[in-house]
Short mmCIF file of all heavy atoms in Angstrom, two decimals:
data_model
loop_
_atom_site.label_atom_id
_atom_site.label_comp_id
_atom_site.label_asym_id
_atom_site.label_seq_id
_atom_site.Cartn_x
_atom_site.Cartn_y
_atom_site.Cartn_z
N VAL A 79 -10.13 -11.56 0.15
CA VAL A 79 -9.23 -11.23 1.21
C VAL A 79 -7.80 -11.84 0.90
O VAL A 79 -7.74 -13.07 0.77
CB VAL A 79 -9.69 -11.73 2.63
CG1 VAL A 79 -8.57 -11.30 3.65
CG2 VAL A 79 -11.05 -11.13 2.96
N GLN A 80 -6.81 -10.98 0.72
CA GLN A 80 -5.41 -11.49 0.38
C GLN A 80 -4.61 -11.58 1.62
O GLN A 80 -4.79 -10.74 2.51
CB GLN A 80 -4.89 -10.54 -0.68
CG GLN A 80 -3.55 -10.98 -1.21
CD GLN A 80 -3.00 -10.01 -2.22
OE1 GLN A 80 -3.62 -8.96 -2.50
NE2 GLN A 80 -1.93 -10.38 -2.87
N VAL A 81 -3.73 -12.57 1.65
CA VAL A 81 -2.84 -12.68 2.78
C VAL A 81 -1.39 -12.64 2.20
O VAL A 81 -1.03 -13.38 1.35
CB VAL A 81 -2.98 -14.00 3.62
CG1 VAL A 81 -1.96 -14.11 4.65
CG2 VAL A 81 -4.39 -14.11 4.13
N LEU A 82 -0.57 -11.77 2.75
CA LEU A 82 0.82 -11.68 2.41
C LEU A 82 1.78 -11.83 3.67
O LEU A 82 1.49 -11.26 4.68
CB LEU A 82 1.17 -10.28 1.71
CG LEU A 82 0.50 -10.04 0.41
CD1 LEU A 82 0.86 -8.60 -0.08
CD2 LEU A 82 0.80 -11.06 -0.67
N ASP A 83 2.71 -12.71 3.48
CA ASP A 83 3.58 -13.02 4.56
C ASP A 83 5.02 -12.38 4.34
O ASP A 83 5.68 -12.71 3.33
CB ASP A 83 3.83 -14.55 4.59
CG ASP A 83 4.64 -15.00 5.78
OD1 ASP A 83 5.21 -14.20 6.45
OD2 ASP A 83 4.75 -16.28 5.94
N PRO A 84 5.44 -11.51 5.24
CA PRO A 84 6.79 -10.84 5.04
C PRO A 84 7.90 -11.89 5.03
O PRO A 84 8.91 -11.60 4.33
CB PRO A 84 6.94 -9.98 6.28
CG PRO A 84 5.55 -9.79 6.77
CD PRO A 84 4.79 -11.00 6.46
N ASN A 85 7.70 -13.11 5.55
CA ASN A 85 8.79 -14.09 5.54
C ASN A 85 8.79 -14.99 4.34
O ASN A 85 9.65 -15.80 4.16
CB ASN A 85 8.57 -14.97 6.84
CG ASN A 85 9.03 -14.17 8.12
OD1 ASN A 85 10.14 -13.72 8.23
ND2 ASN A 85 8.08 -14.07 8.98
N ASN A 86 7.77 -14.74 3.48
CA ASN A 86 7.71 -15.56 2.28
C ASN A 86 7.07 -14.66 1.20
O ASN A 86 5.99 -15.04 0.64
CB ASN A 86 6.80 -16.81 2.55
CG ASN A 86 6.77 -17.74 1.37
OD1 ASN A 86 7.78 -17.76 0.54
ND2 ASN A 86 5.80 -18.65 1.31
N TYR A 87 7.62 -13.51 0.85
CA TYR A 87 7.14 -12.55 -0.13
C TYR A 87 7.95 -12.62 -1.36
O TYR A 87 9.18 -12.29 -1.25
CB TYR A 87 7.07 -11.24 0.56
CG TYR A 87 6.37 -10.15 -0.39
CD1 TYR A 87 5.18 -10.27 -0.86
CD2 TYR A 87 7.14 -8.97 -0.66
CE1 TYR A 87 4.68 -9.33 -1.66
CE2 TYR A 87 6.53 -7.95 -1.45
CZ TYR A 87 5.36 -8.12 -1.97
OH TYR A 87 4.75 -7.15 -2.72
N ASP A 88 7.42 -12.86 -2.49
CA ASP A 88 8.08 -13.00 -3.77
C ASP A 88 8.93 -11.71 -4.14
O ASP A 88 9.99 -11.79 -4.71
CB ASP A 88 7.19 -13.38 -4.86
CG ASP A 88 6.65 -14.81 -4.71
OD1 ASP A 88 7.29 -15.61 -3.89
OD2 ASP A 88 5.60 -15.14 -5.33
N GLU A 89 8.37 -10.63 -3.73
CA GLU A 89 8.99 -9.33 -4.15
C GLU A 89 9.81 -8.64 -2.98
O GLU A 89 10.02 -7.41 -3.01
CB GLU A 89 7.93 -8.36 -4.66
CG GLU A 89 7.24 -8.92 -5.93
CD GLU A 89 6.26 -7.93 -6.45
OE1 GLU A 89 6.59 -6.75 -6.61
OE2 GLU A 89 5.04 -8.37 -6.69
N MET A 90 10.28 -9.50 -2.12
CA MET A 90 10.95 -8.87 -0.93
C MET A 90 12.33 -8.17 -1.39
O MET A 90 12.58 -7.14 -0.84
CB MET A 90 11.33 -10.02 0.11
CG MET A 90 12.02 -9.46 1.39
SD MET A 90 11.22 -8.07 2.13
CE MET A 90 9.95 -8.94 3.10
N ASP A 91 13.06 -8.75 -2.32
CA ASP A 91 14.25 -8.15 -2.75
C ASP A 91 14.00 -6.64 -3.31
O ASP A 91 14.77 -5.82 -2.98
CB ASP A 91 14.95 -8.97 -3.89
CG ASP A 91 15.61 -10.26 -3.33
OD1 ASP A 91 15.70 -10.37 -2.09
OD2 ASP A 91 15.90 -11.15 -4.15
N ALA A 92 12.98 -6.56 -4.11
CA ALA A 92 12.58 -5.24 -4.63
C ALA A 92 12.13 -4.31 -3.47
O ALA A 92 12.51 -3.12 -3.54
CB ALA A 92 11.47 -5.39 -5.67
N MET A 93 11.43 -4.86 -2.55
CA MET A 93 11.06 -4.04 -1.33
C MET A 93 12.18 -3.56 -0.58
O MET A 93 12.22 -2.40 -0.16
CB MET A 93 10.04 -4.85 -0.57
CG MET A 93 9.56 -4.05 0.72
SD MET A 93 8.29 -4.95 1.67
CE MET A 93 6.86 -4.90 0.68
N VAL A 94 13.14 -4.45 -0.34
CA VAL A 94 14.41 -4.07 0.44
C VAL A 94 15.13 -2.97 -0.31
O VAL A 94 15.55 -1.91 0.28
CB VAL A 94 15.28 -5.35 0.63
CG1 VAL A 94 16.66 -4.85 1.14
CG2 VAL A 94 14.67 -6.29 1.58
N GLU A 95 15.26 -3.09 -1.58
CA GLU A 95 16.06 -2.08 -2.38
C GLU A 95 15.32 -0.77 -2.29
O GLU A 95 15.93 0.29 -2.14
CB GLU A 95 16.07 -2.54 -3.91
CG GLU A 95 16.87 -1.65 -4.73
CD GLU A 95 16.85 -2.19 -6.18
OE1 GLU A 95 16.65 -3.28 -6.46
OE2 GLU A 95 17.30 -1.31 -7.07
N ALA A 96 13.89 -0.77 -2.44
CA ALA A 96 13.16 0.49 -2.39
C ALA A 96 13.28 1.07 -0.99
O ALA A 96 13.32 2.39 -0.83
CB ALA A 96 11.70 0.16 -2.76
#
Side-chain angles (χ1 to χ4, degrees):
V79 180
Q80 185 179 6
V81 178
L82 294 178
D83 184 354
N85 290 299
N86 188 25
Y87 183 55
D88 291 341
E89 298 183 49
M90 181 54 80
D91 288 346
M93 182 178 282
V94 168
E95 184 180 345

